Amino acid sequence: MVPLSFAGHDFLALPEAALYWPAQRALLVADLHFEKASWFARFGQFLPPHDSQATLDMIEVLVRRTGARAVWSLGDSFHDADGAARLDRATRHRLEALTGTLDWMWITGNHDVAMADTPGGRRVAEAEVAGILLRHEAEPDERRPEISGHFHPKLRVTLRGRHVSRRCFVGSESKLILPALGALTGGLDAGHGEIRRAVGPGAAALVPVSDRLLRFPLT
């Protein structure tokens, strides 16, 4: 876990594409896309079917590692409005056990905005905690500090002739975008115009590596 300062608060960036807020004892994750594989399977495109279990495995590991007492999921937690209904019984029970023991907050995203029910927890459009807005998609005109997801940012660079792609955070003075944690989520280049428009000037891709945070300015 690597220290990351944002909007006057201290966080820890995790290489597994999550953010821990020690003062709130909260683990922040984004774009889990539970049941993405089963959604594609309905249309005849078969992906490895264990994406929800793998994503949940990772969340459980990170909760144990950080000692989190809260999990705040920043939207697109399910791949579609019927995703929760397609969870197999064992995975649903595991998820309900977590949402029953933690302060679990589901922030709605564009994929799951029409979902009628969630396996426990509380569902909100957005939230404000200690002066920081938590929402799914960054709003370029928002002046208040904001943490969001949506874009699945990835840093793509060439090092010594090798092409390297890593999930990354993207940060500016008032915006912080989390990478996607979901097992089957793809990624948008961190320097893409839509991401740069959302975060504004002075943005950088942030990659936690070992005991330091690598910064790659997005110029």
Side-chain angles (χ1 to χ4, degrees):
M1 295 186 285
V2 181
L4 186 159
S5 246
F6 175 71
H9 294 268
D10 295 325
F11 296 87
L12 294 171
L14 284 69
E16 295 86 355
L19 187 70
Y20 183 60
W21 193 346
Q24 304 296 330
R25 298 196 71 179
L27 181 69
L28 280 68
V29 296
D31 299 282
L32 306 176
H33 286 267
F34 284 128
E35 293 303 304
K36 181 174 182 177
S38 64
W39 185 86
F40 276 98
R42 295 192 302 178
F43 303 98
Q45 184 175 348
F46 297 101
L47 300 174
H50 306 299
D51 58 309
S52 295
Q53 295 94 320
T55 299
L56 191 52
D57 287 346
M58 180 56 65
I59 294 172
E60 289 174 339
V61 166
L62 297 180
V63 167
R64 288 195 298 269
R65 184 190 304 170
T66 60
R69 292 293 178 265
V71 172
W72 299 338
S73 183
L74 306 183
D76 285 0
S77 303
F78 290 85
H79 190 67
D80 63 288
D82 299 321
R86 294 197 307 276
L87 287 167
D88 66 64
R89 181 177 298 179
T91 305
R92 186 179 185 92
H93 286 173
R94 287 173 63 197
L95 192 49
E96 287 173 340
L98 280 176
T99 58
T101 56
L102 300 169
D103 171 21
W104 194 292
M105 179 167 61
W106 307 99
I107 290 174
T108 55
N110 53 295
H111 275 260
D112 52 19
V113 67
M115 199 162 69
D117 191 23
T118 55
R122 55 195 170 99
R123 195 159 175 253
V124 298
E126 59 183 43
E128 184 172 354
V129 179
I132 297 179
L133 287 173
L134 307 178
R135 55 166 52 119
H136 178 57
E137 183 175 355
E139 295 188 5
D141 296 330
E142 178 61 67
R143 298 284 185 91
R144 292 169 293 177
E146 179 188 74
I147 300 177
S148 60
H150 181 63
F151 290 105
H152 307 193
K154 278 192 170 183
L155 178 68
R156 295 181 173 92
V157 294
T158 302
L159 298 172
R160 299 176 182 176
R162 295 178 56 197
H163 299 292
V164 178
S165 177
R166 290 281 300 269
R167 290 180 294 182
C168 67
F169 300 81
V170 174
S172 64
E173 185 177 354
S174 63
K175 311 282 186 188
L176 183 62
I177 297 177
L178 269 59
L181 183 69
L184 286 181
T185 49
L188 184 65
D189 190 280
H192 191 280
E194 284 300 306
I195 293 180
R196 292 170 62 185
R197 183 185 71 84
V199 296
L206 310 173
V207 181
V209 176
S210 186
D211 60 347
R212 57 196 174 124
L213 191 68
L214 303 182
R215 293 177 175 266
F216 297 84
L218 303 178
T219 56

